[in-house]
């Protein structure tokens, strides 16, 4: 499990050694996927909060990954849109049909689908506005030119408008009390599937409705962070860790309050949207704090992370029993 590959910054695979490279992101997802399987297999409700943070991290990564891609390519084509929806949903739909498992029980598929669609829509509208109203140049991947910060800010703002309009009202367990927009967009057809689907969809999406926006915000400054990180001294990295560590401490403090920590997540679900991603900056800085750490990737965890969607879907049928 701890077998490592060492990434040489001067090799042809030097991209794997950069801050939050694809290899690091896959390794991160791999460790979290192992935690999900262990959590579900043992029904370890005592670690409900950390597992919820890992789900939030996956949604954060959806915002981050899609932001990095769209702001470097401006590929808002129907082909890209359809490919992503197919990639996220085809195995889930197959398993749901052949095993008679309700689609919503694979809840992360719903989370990933909803947030991808909202990000695609928000950033596509921002690109159109930037092109036809502000006359801003498009990104160009070949020359390394990204979208302008003005366009990025418009995209983040639009995504926030969308998620707040949809999920800004009510608490996760307030079934049927979503916003008027939410009812028009989701509730009417989810209710036709089943009451379980309607209620579970609301609970799960409400708990992480802000997570992708946080990831998208980091994607806006990611290139600057990635390029500046290797030249930062240990002192500067330590100073950056102070606010990141403080955010992590706030999240731990809130999660440990008696009204949130001790009822198997019943009350904690009300605050996860606001604190569930506060631990991520501290993790990223710690993961890249020294070159020795940054340039080493756990090979098995990276492989699991590359197939995290499949592991997530199959765990209920392969690793677990009914």
């Amino acid at each position: 499990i701890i077998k490592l590959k060492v990434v040489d910054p001067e090799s042809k695979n030097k991209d794997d050694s950069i801050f939050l490279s694809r290899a690091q992101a896959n390794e991160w997802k791999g460790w979290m996927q192992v935690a999900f399987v262990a959590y579900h297999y043992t029904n370890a409700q005592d670690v409900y909060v950390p597992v919820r943070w890992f789900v939030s991290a996956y949604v954060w990564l959806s915002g981050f990954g899609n932001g990095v891609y769209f702001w470097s390519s401006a590929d808002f084509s129907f082909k890209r849109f359809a490919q992503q929806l197919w990639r996220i949903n085809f195995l889930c739909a197959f398993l749901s049909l052949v095993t008679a498992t309700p689609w919503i029980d694979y809840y992360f598929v719903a989370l990933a689908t909803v947030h991808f669609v909202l990000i695609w829509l928000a950033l596509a509208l921002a690109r159109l506005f930037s092109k036809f109203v502000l006359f801003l140049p498009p990104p160009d991947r070949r020359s390394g030119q990204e979208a302008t910060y003005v366009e990025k800010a418009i995209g983040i703002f639009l995504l926030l408008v969308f998620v707040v309009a949809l999920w800004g009202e009510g608490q996760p367990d307030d079934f049927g009390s979503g916003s008027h927009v939410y009812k028009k967009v989701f509730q009417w057809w989810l209710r036709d599937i089943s009451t379980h689907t309607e209620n579970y969809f609301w609970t799960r999406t409400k708990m992480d409705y802000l997570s992708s926006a946080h990831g998208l915000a980091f994607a806006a400054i990611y290139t600057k962070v990635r390029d500046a990180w290797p030249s930062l001294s240990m002192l500067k990295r330590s100073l950056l860790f102070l606010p990141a560590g403080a955010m992590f401490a706030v999240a731990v403090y809130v999660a440990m309050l008696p009204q949130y920590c001790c009822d198997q997540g019943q009350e904690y679900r009300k605050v996860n949207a606001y604190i569930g991603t506060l631990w991520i900056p501290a993790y990223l800085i710690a993961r890249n704090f020294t070159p020795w750490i940054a340039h080493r990737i756990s090979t098995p965890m990276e492989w699991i992370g590359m197939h995290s969607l499949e592991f997530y879907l199959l765990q209920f049928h392969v690793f677990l029993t009914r």
Side-chain angles (χ1 to χ4, degrees):
I1 289 178
I2 61 172
K3 180 182 179 182
L4 302 177
K5 69 175 182 181
V6 181
V7 182
D8 181 0
E10 302 302 323
S11 72
K12 64 180 181 179
N13 295 321
K14 63 181 180 180
D15 285 351
D16 284 352
S17 68
I18 64 177
F19 190 101
L20 192 52
S21 64
R22 182 179 293 274
Q24 273 194 18
N26 283 333
E27 181 204 51
W28 184 12
K29 290 190 289 184
W31 285 114
M32 293 191 296
Q33 196 57 238
V34 170
F36 290 153
V37 173
Y39 169 76
H40 287 131
Y41 187 81
T42 60
N43 192 30
Q45 293 298 316
D46 290 341
V47 293
Y48 176 85
V49 171
V51 169
R52 283 300 320 152
W53 287 2
F54 292 164
V55 175
S56 298
Y58 266 87
V59 183
W60 186 96
L61 282 165
S62 294
F64 169 76
N66 283 301
V68 169
Y69 176 81
F70 287 126
W71 282 330
S72 64
S73 69
D75 179 11
F76 298 103
S77 64
F78 176 76
K79 177 182 178 182
R80 172 67 181 183
F81 183 80
Q83 283 177 335
Q84 282 295 97
L85 291 186
W86 173 262
R87 168 76 177 89
I88 295 169
N89 287 278
F90 87 97
L91 181 57
C92 174
F94 174 77
L95 289 172
S96 181
L97 288 171
V98 301
T99 65
T101 302
W103 162 77
I104 195 59
D105 285 1
Y106 306 107
Y107 63 87
F108 182 73
V109 172
L111 281 173
T113 300
V114 167
H115 283 276
F116 167 72
V117 171
L118 292 177
I119 292 168
W120 180 85
L121 183 61
L123 301 193
L125 290 174
R127 173 85 290 268
L128 290 174
F129 184 81
S130 299
K131 178 179 180 180
F132 294 110
V133 178
L134 302 179
F135 305 107
L136 296 176
D140 184 356
R141 176 174 285 180
R142 293 180 180 178
S143 65
Q145 177 179 318
E146 293 186 339
T148 65
Y149 283 108
V150 172
E151 181 176 333
K152 291 177 179 180
I154 295 171
I156 296 169
F157 173 76
L158 288 176
L159 180 62
L160 284 171
V161 168
F162 292 160
V163 297
V164 171
L166 286 165
W167 291 285
E169 297 180 15
Q171 294 297 335
D173 294 330
D174 295 338
F175 304 128
S177 65
S179 69
H180 180 72
V181 177
Y182 177 88
K183 292 176 181 177
K184 290 292 185 182
V185 175
F186 293 119
Q187 196 173 67
W188 62 275
W189 61 270
L190 291 170
R191 182 175 295 165
D192 287 343
I193 298 175
S194 70
T195 301
H196 170 63
T197 298
E198 175 197 353
N199 291 343
Y200 204 42
F201 183 89
W202 164 257
T203 300
R204 290 297 181 178
T205 54
K206 175 66 178 180
M207 277 193 287
D208 279 302
Y209 78 99
L210 292 172
S211 297
S212 66
H214 297 161
L216 191 64
F218 182 69
I221 61 171
Y222 170 65
T223 302
K224 295 291 186 183
V225 174
R226 180 198 67 194
D227 294 344
W229 191 258
S231 62
L232 291 181
S233 65
M234 291 295 106
L235 175 60
K236 290 182 179 179
R237 295 182 186 189
S238 300
L239 292 175
L240 286 173
F241 194 80
L242 292 178
M247 293 167 61
F248 181 34
V250 168
V252 172
Y253 173 77
V254 173
M256 292 299 292
L257 290 174
Q259 62 266 39
Y260 298 133
C261 74
C262 307
D263 60 353
Q264 298 185 345
Q266 188 71 24
E267 290 297 316
Y268 174 76
R269 289 196 283 266
K270 298 178 180 179
V271 298
N272 183 76
Y274 313 106
I275 70 169
T277 59
L278 292 182
W279 66 282
I280 291 176
Y283 167 77
L284 293 178
I285 292 174
R287 180 65 182 83
N288 293 273
F289 198 75
T290 68
W292 191 95
I293 298 173
H295 298 168
R296 281 162 174 78
I297 306 293
S298 171
T299 304
M301 292 302 106
E302 181 189 9
W303 184 84
I304 292 174
M306 291 171 61
H307 305 88
S308 59
L309 179 60
E310 290 77 12
F311 268 87
Y312 167 75
L313 293 171
L314 292 173
Q315 67 175 298
F316 300 105
H317 309 291
V318 177
F319 298 110
L320 313 182
T321 68
R322 297 196 178 191

